[in-house]
Amino acid sequence: MSQPITYCSHCFTKNRLGQENDLSSARCGRCQHPLFAHTPVTASASNIESLLQSDVPVVIDCWASWCGPCLQFAPVFSQVAQELEPRMRFAKLDTEQEPALAARFAIRSIPTLLVFAGGKLLAQRSGSLPASVFKMWLQSVLEQQVTK
Protein backbone atom coordinates (compact mmCIF):
# COMPACT_ATOMS: atom_id res chain seq x y z
CA MET A 1 0.00 0.00 0.00
CA SER A 2 1.40 3.40 -0.92
CA GLN A 3 1.88 6.16 1.59
CA PRO A 4 -0.84 8.84 1.64
CA ILE A 5 -0.02 12.23 0.13
CA THR A 6 -0.94 15.59 1.65
CA TYR A 7 0.22 19.17 1.30
CA CYS A 8 2.35 21.40 3.48
CA SER A 9 0.33 24.05 5.33
CA HIS A 10 3.09 26.57 4.63
CA CYS A 11 4.35 26.07 1.04
CA PHE A 12 1.63 23.70 -0.31
CA THR A 13 4.21 21.23 -1.61
CA LYS A 14 2.95 17.64 -1.81
CA ASN A 15 4.45 15.38 0.83
CA ARG A 16 4.18 11.65 1.43
CA LEU A 17 3.13 10.85 4.97
CA GLY A 18 5.39 8.45 6.80
CA GLN A 19 4.24 5.72 9.11
CA GLU A 20 4.86 7.78 12.26
CA ASN A 21 2.23 7.45 14.95
CA ASP A 22 2.30 11.20 15.64
CA LEU A 23 1.57 12.92 12.33
CA SER A 24 1.25 16.26 14.09
CA SER A 25 5.06 16.39 14.28
CA ALA A 26 5.56 15.65 10.55
CA ARG A 27 7.60 18.24 8.64
CA CYS A 28 7.63 19.30 5.00
CA GLY A 29 10.45 17.80 2.95
CA ARG A 30 10.89 21.09 1.10
CA CYS A 31 10.51 23.97 3.60
CA GLN A 32 10.85 22.00 6.87
CA HIS A 33 7.77 23.70 8.39
CA PRO A 34 5.21 21.47 10.14
CA LEU A 35 2.89 19.77 7.63
CA PHE A 36 -0.09 20.39 9.90
CA ALA A 37 -0.74 23.90 11.22
CA HIS A 38 -3.90 22.91 13.18
CA THR A 39 -5.55 26.01 11.77
CA PRO A 40 -7.39 26.50 8.48
CA VAL A 41 -5.31 27.59 5.49
CA THR A 42 -6.59 30.00 2.85
CA ALA A 43 -7.72 28.29 -0.34
CA SER A 44 -6.83 30.15 -3.53
CA ALA A 45 -6.38 29.56 -7.24
CA SER A 46 -2.67 29.05 -6.63
CA ASN A 47 -3.03 26.23 -4.09
CA ILE A 48 -6.42 24.62 -4.80
CA GLU A 49 -5.02 21.68 -6.78
CA SER A 50 -2.68 20.75 -3.92
CA LEU A 51 -5.60 20.95 -1.50
CA LEU A 52 -7.91 18.84 -3.64
CA GLN A 53 -5.36 16.13 -4.45
CA SER A 54 -4.57 15.40 -0.80
CA ASP A 55 -5.28 11.81 0.27
CA VAL A 56 -6.11 13.22 3.70
CA PRO A 57 -9.68 14.58 3.47
CA VAL A 58 -9.82 18.36 3.08
CA VAL A 59 -12.77 20.34 4.46
CA ILE A 60 -13.30 23.66 2.66
CA ASP A 61 -15.45 26.39 4.20
CA CYS A 62 -16.82 28.60 1.39
CA TRP A 63 -17.63 31.96 2.93
CA ALA A 64 -17.74 35.76 2.44
CA SER A 65 -16.87 38.63 4.76
CA TRP A 66 -20.36 40.19 4.51
CA CYS A 67 -22.17 36.96 5.47
CA GLY A 68 -23.40 36.91 9.09
CA PRO A 69 -23.80 33.11 9.33
CA CYS A 70 -20.30 32.71 7.82
CA LEU A 71 -18.79 34.97 10.47
CA GLN A 72 -20.74 33.15 13.19
CA PHE A 73 -19.45 29.77 11.93
CA ALA A 74 -15.79 30.86 11.55
CA PRO A 75 -14.74 30.19 15.19
CA VAL A 76 -16.48 26.80 15.11
CA PHE A 77 -14.60 25.88 11.92
CA SER A 78 -11.28 26.95 13.48
CA GLN A 79 -11.97 25.05 16.70
CA VAL A 80 -12.83 21.84 14.84
CA ALA A 81 -9.75 22.26 12.62
CA GLN A 82 -7.59 22.48 15.73
CA GLU A 83 -9.20 19.32 17.13
CA LEU A 84 -9.29 17.13 14.02
CA GLU A 85 -6.05 17.88 12.19
CA PRO A 86 -4.14 15.78 11.07
CA ARG A 87 -7.04 13.32 10.48
CA MET A 88 -8.56 15.94 8.18
CA ARG A 89 -7.24 19.18 6.64
CA PHE A 90 -9.13 22.48 6.79
CA ALA A 91 -9.22 25.41 4.37
CA LYS A 92 -11.27 28.59 3.97
CA LEU A 93 -12.35 29.80 0.53
CA ASP A 94 -13.40 33.46 0.37
CA THR A 95 -15.96 33.38 -2.44
CA GLU A 96 -15.65 37.14 -3.00
CA GLN A 97 -11.86 36.96 -3.44
CA GLU A 98 -11.97 33.76 -5.51
CA PRO A 99 -15.14 33.98 -7.66
CA ALA A 100 -13.78 31.55 -10.27
CA LEU A 101 -13.33 28.86 -7.61
CA ALA A 102 -16.80 29.57 -6.20
CA ALA A 103 -18.19 29.10 -9.71
CA ARG A 104 -16.12 25.94 -10.25
CA PHE A 105 -17.65 24.40 -7.13
CA ALA A 106 -21.13 25.75 -7.99
CA ILE A 107 -21.44 27.57 -4.67
CA ARG A 108 -24.99 28.93 -4.55
CA SER A 109 -25.28 29.75 -0.85
CA ILE A 110 -22.84 30.40 1.95
CA PRO A 111 -21.52 29.10 4.15
CA THR A 112 -21.07 25.89 2.19
CA LEU A 113 -18.82 23.08 3.37
CA LEU A 114 -17.06 20.83 0.86
CA VAL A 115 -15.08 17.69 1.72
CA PHE A 116 -12.57 16.37 -0.84
CA ALA A 117 -10.08 13.52 -0.83
CA GLY A 118 -7.90 12.39 -3.71
CA GLY A 119 -9.51 14.93 -6.04
CA LYS A 120 -13.06 13.68 -5.45
CA LEU A 121 -15.90 15.52 -3.75
CA LEU A 122 -16.99 13.31 -0.85
CA ALA A 123 -19.67 15.51 0.70
CA GLN A 124 -21.23 18.97 0.59
CA ARG A 125 -23.43 20.81 3.07
CA SER A 126 -24.72 24.36 3.33
CA GLY A 127 -25.41 26.38 6.46
CA SER A 128 -23.79 27.27 9.76
CA LEU A 129 -23.52 24.38 12.23
CA PRO A 130 -22.82 24.05 15.94
CA ALA A 131 -19.49 22.35 16.66
CA SER A 132 -21.07 19.08 17.82
CA VAL A 133 -23.19 18.72 14.65
CA PHE A 134 -20.24 19.72 12.45
CA LYS A 135 -18.01 17.05 14.04
CA MET A 136 -20.74 14.38 13.74
CA TRP A 137 -21.19 15.24 10.05
CA LEU A 138 -17.43 15.03 9.43
CA GLN A 139 -17.26 11.71 11.29
CA SER A 140 -20.01 10.32 9.06
CA VAL A 141 -18.08 11.48 5.97
CA LEU A 142 -14.92 9.74 7.25
CA GLU A 143 -16.86 6.55 7.98
CA GLN A 144 -18.40 6.56 4.49
CA GLN A 145 -14.95 6.98 2.96
CA VAL A 146 -13.58 4.00 4.91
CA THR A 147 -16.46 1.73 3.87
CA LYS A 148 -16.05 2.50 0.14
Side-chain angles (χ1 to χ4, degrees), residues 11-108:
C11 71
F12 294 97
T13 299
K14 288 183 182 181
N15 282 260
R16 290 195 185 281
L17 294 175
Q19 301 302 323
E20 312 90 51
N21 289 336
D22 184 16
L23 290 178
S24 61
S25 64
R27 295 201 165 271
C28 176
R30 180 172 175 240
C31 73
Q32 299 304 310
H33 281 85
L35 283 181
F36 301 97
H38 299 279
T39 188
V41 297
T42 300
S44 67
S46 65
N47 66 20
I48 195 67
E49 293 310 318
S50 293
L51 292 170
L52 297 182
Q53 295 305 317
S54 175
D55 291 330
V56 176
V58 178
V59 184
I60 302 175
D61 176 16
C62 302
W63 71 287
S65 61
W66 51 262
C67 169
C70 297
L71 299 176
Q72 179 186 26
F73 182 64
V76 171
F77 191 78
S78 292
Q79 171 199 336
V80 172
Q82 198 169 41
E83 292 175 22
L84 295 185
E85 251 194 23
R87 287 183 53 211
M88 300 183 98
R89 308 303 306 264
F90 292 81
K92 296 195 57 85
L93 172 63
D94 185 336
T95 58
E96 294 293 303
Q97 298 296 316
E98 298 287 347
L101 290 179
R104 174 179 171 182
F105 300 132
I107 303 303
R108 306 243 186 289

Side-chain angles (χ1 to χ4, degrees), residues 106-123:
I107 303 303
R108 306 243 186 289
S109 66
I110 51 175
T112 292
L113 299 166
L114 307 170
V115 182
F116 286 90
K120 294 184 174 88
L121 179 65
L122 302 178

